[in-house]
């Protein structure tokens, strides 16, 4: 009989979930993996701490570091038997970024994503015009911003510029 | 999290603190913890070969796109092309790892040292005749207009295939496809906007992107005919018949080219698959020499 204890609701600062929730993202260090929705589950199966994480993008080069950081944090907290598993389905969505994560993104000068597009089965419609995404400037709050490039320094971000304060900023693009 | 000062130290720590980690350490097996059981009634050899087809398309196109890094027309485009390549490389890693998980490794294991994970063995230690990518992705880049025309065609085909592959009976393939659809929609629309901008731009940009479209169009001949492997997997509900995406591809390309004031090239006649069965032009050999050179000269390199 396999004992599975889901730790979604464990409280306090010493449980494995609490420890895993302190691990930050290597590329967005202001946010934890939990804030980003990359940390999917932490549970104990027959004495082994099993951690599920999901990649943001297929090519996300940070997955190895995330796994190493999670293992290190849990080992340091005294959990010797730890397994970090990749979960591919369902695919990560920016909708999984928590309210706290969105607040931290803004505070770090990065505009949080809007609601992700719904991708139903069947053909994905072409979008030939400029992107219809909008984002308020995280620096001055002005809604008058424009996209410079759909692709930024990391796979998950686009580049925008504020027309009011003229500052460029990054925007986590909806996916 | 504060235990290590740098990403490097975190990775190093995860590998025994010996001061090096690199290709071959296997620290980031992309399917770690994923259930890779083959569904009932599916031939593992066919499934693995199909994963090589889709994975090699992504790997080879990623390599072509990275040839633009430091040479793109503007800085933002350099970042964009590198990001598209990175997404494709990620898809390639997952697909090659899936092929390895069902034991489809070709002759790569005769050359790759044991410590090298399957995905790296497949990427770096197969010869051109073992690659299953189509002629569409291995062709030279040409100028920027031609590169964007090829990216438009290749990502339109791949998006159409992946959106159907979300229903595959192989749950790993279905999950890889579901993730890829979101990425490929960005790639296709980015390429389409460039084709629009160049086609409906100056006389010179119009002329050059039309030449690019005309050069890329005939390469579709190698894309839309199913191999025997694909046909068997289509019957088993695992793969997508490339012939089924023909109309969608034609409709998307016509829509973009019409709006870009470009002439739609004549649709090529079907030909027997070549790239998918390992028949390639010399340009793939040259591309792989660059891609594989370091790994082959230093098969157990760490740095």
């Amino acid at each position: 009989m396999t004992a599975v204890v889901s730790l979604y609701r464990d409280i306090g600062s010493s449980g494995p979930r609490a420890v895993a929730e302190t691990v930050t993202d290597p590329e967005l260090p202001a946010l934890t993996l939990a804030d980003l929705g990359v940390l999917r589950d932490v549970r104990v199966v027959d004495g082994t701490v099993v951690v599920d994480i999901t990649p943001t993008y297929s090519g996300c080069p940070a997955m190895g570091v995330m796994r190493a950081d999670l293992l290190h944090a849990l080992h340091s907290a005294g959990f010797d038997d730890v397994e970090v598993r990749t979960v591919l389905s369902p695919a990560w969505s920016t909708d999984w970024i928590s309210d706290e994560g969105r607040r931290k993104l803004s505070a770090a000068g990065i505009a949080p994503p809007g609601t992700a597009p719904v991708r139903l089965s069947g053909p994905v419609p072409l979008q030939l015009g400029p992107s219809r995404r909008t984002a308020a400037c995280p620096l001055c709050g002005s809604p008058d911003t424009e996209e410079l490039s759909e692709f930024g320094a990391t796979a998950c971000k686009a580049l925008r510029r504020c027309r009011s304060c003229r500052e460029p900023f990054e925007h986590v693009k909806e996916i | 999290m504060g235990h290590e000062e740098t990403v490097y130290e975190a990775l190093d720590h995860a590998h025994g603190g010996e001061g090096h980690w690199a290709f071959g350490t296997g620290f980031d097996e992309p399917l770690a913890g994923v259930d890779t059981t083959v569904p009932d009634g599916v031939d593992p050899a066919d499934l693995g070969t199909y994963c090589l087809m889709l994975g090699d398309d992504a790997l080879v196109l990623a390599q072509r796109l990275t040839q633009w890094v430091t040479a793109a027309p503007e800085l933002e485009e350099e970042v964009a092309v590198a990001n598209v390549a990175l997404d494709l490389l990620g898809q390639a890693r997952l697909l090659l790892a899936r092929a390895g998980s069902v034991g489809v490794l070709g002759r790569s294991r005769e050359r790759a040292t044991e410590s090298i994970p399957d995905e790296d063995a497949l990427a770096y230690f197969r010869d051109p005749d073992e690659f299953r990518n189509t002629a569409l992705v291995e062709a030279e880049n040409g100028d920027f207009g031609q590169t964007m025309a090829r990216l438009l065609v290749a990502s339109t085909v791949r998006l159409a295939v992946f959106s159907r592959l979300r229903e595959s009976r192989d749950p790993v393939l279905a999950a890889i496809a579901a993730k890829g659809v979101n990425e490929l929609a960005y790639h296709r629309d980015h390429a389409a906007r460039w084709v629009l901008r160049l086609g409906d731009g100056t006389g010179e940009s119009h002329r050059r992107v039309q030449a690019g479209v005309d050069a890329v169009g005939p390469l579709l001949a190698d894309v839309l005919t199913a191999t025997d492997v694909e046909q068997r997997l289509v019957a088993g509900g695992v793969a997508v018949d490339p012939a089924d995406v023909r109309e969608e591809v034609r409709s998307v390309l016509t829509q973009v080219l019409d709006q870009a004031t470009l002439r739609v090239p004549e649709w090529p006649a079907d030909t027997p698959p070549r790239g998918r069965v390992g028949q390639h032009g010399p340009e793939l050999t040259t591309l792989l020499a660059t891609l594989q050179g370091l790994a082959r000269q230093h098969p157990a390199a760490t740095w």
Side-chain angles (χ1 to χ4, degrees), chain A residues 55-56 58 86 127 150 152 174, chain B residues 13 32 83 179 183 186 193:
Chain A
T56 52
S58 301
T86 303
Q127 196 194 316
E150 276 206 297
E174 299 81 11
Chain B
H13 182 92
N83 267 294
K179 197 151 195 56
E183 298 161 357
Y186 270 113
R193 284 195 284 265

Side-chain angles (χ1 to χ4, degrees), chain A residues 34-109:
Chain A
D35 290 333
L36 276 172
V38 162
L39 184 69
R40 301 308 299 156
D41 193 25
V42 183
R43 58 197 180 280
V44 177
V45 183
D46 288 341
T48 299
V49 177
V50 179
V51 181
D52 287 345
I53 56 173
T54 190
T56 52
Y57 283 70
S58 301
C60 178
M63 286 295 283
V65 184
M66 292 177 189
R67 190 170 295 129
D69 284 349
L70 282 162
L71 286 171
H72 185 66
L74 286 158
H75 288 160
S76 299
F79 299 99
D80 295 332
D81 216 354
V82 182
E83 194 182 320
V84 180
R85 292 182 182 169
T86 303
V87 179
L88 294 177
S89 181
W92 181 79
S93 162
T94 43
D95 288 351
W96 294 353
I97 300 178
S98 66
D99 290 343
E100 176 69 2
R102 286 161 201 272
R103 194 192 59 72
K104 289 177 181 172
L105 279 172
S106 289

Side-chain angles (χ1 to χ4, degrees), chain B residues 5 76 206:
Chain B
E5 292 297 313
E76 286 78 6
H206 178 93

Side-chain angles (χ1 to χ4, degrees), chain A residues 116-148:
Chain A
V118 179
R119 298 229 192 269
L120 304 169
S121 56
V124 182
L126 259 177
Q127 196 194 316
L128 289 176
S131 113
R132 287 181 223 109
R133 280 194 296 273
T134 56
C137 174
L139 305 165
C140 75
S142 167
D144 188 16
T145 66
E146 62 183 339
E147 188 166 273
L148 293 175

Side-chain angles (χ1 to χ4, degrees), chain B residues 76-225:
Chain B
E76 286 78 6
E77 192 51 32
E78 201 138 299
V79 174
V81 168
N83 267 294
V84 172
L86 180 61
D87 286 343
L88 290 170
L89 193 60
Q91 293 173 16
R93 293 190 60 191
L94 290 163
L95 287 159
L96 295 187
R98 179 63 174 139
S101 77
V102 296
V104 172
L105 290 154
R107 302 191 303 275
S108 64
R109 276 288 166 217
E110 295 165 18
R111 301 194 188 91
T113 57
E114 208 173 310
S115 64
I116 293 175
D118 290 343
E119 46 159 332
D120 285 346
L122 286 167
Y124 296 122
F125 293 93
R126 275 181 301 157
D127 287 337
D129 66 321
E130 290 187 284
F131 273 73
R132 301 287 184 145
N133 59 278
T134 67
L136 176 63
V137 295
E138 77 188 42
E140 300 279 358
N141 279 326
D143 64 11
F144 185 73
Q146 184 171 332
T147 300
M148 285 299 127
R150 188 249 301 274
L151 182 60
L152 171 64
V153 174
S155 50
T156 298
V157 172
R158 194 168 176 85
L159 178 57
V161 170
F162 271 41
S163 65
R164 288 160 176 79
L165 209 52
R166 288 179 291 187
E167 316 293 327
S168 172
R169 273 188 60 228
D170 177 30
V172 181
L173 259 184
I176 295 169
K179 197 151 195 56
V181 162
N182 297 330
E183 298 161 357
L184 292 162
Y186 270 113
H187 305 173
R188 182 198 59 181
D189 292 359
H190 182 72
R193 284 195 284 265
W194 264 113
V195 169
L196 201 60
R197 185 171 159 189
L198 296 170
D200 197 19
T202 65
E204 173 71 358
S205 70
H206 178 93
R207 183 187 67 74
R208 288 177 62 172
V209 76
Q210 180 70 63
V213 167
D214 291 345
V216 169
L219 301 175
L220 268 170
D222 195 37
V223 174
L224 298 174
T225 311

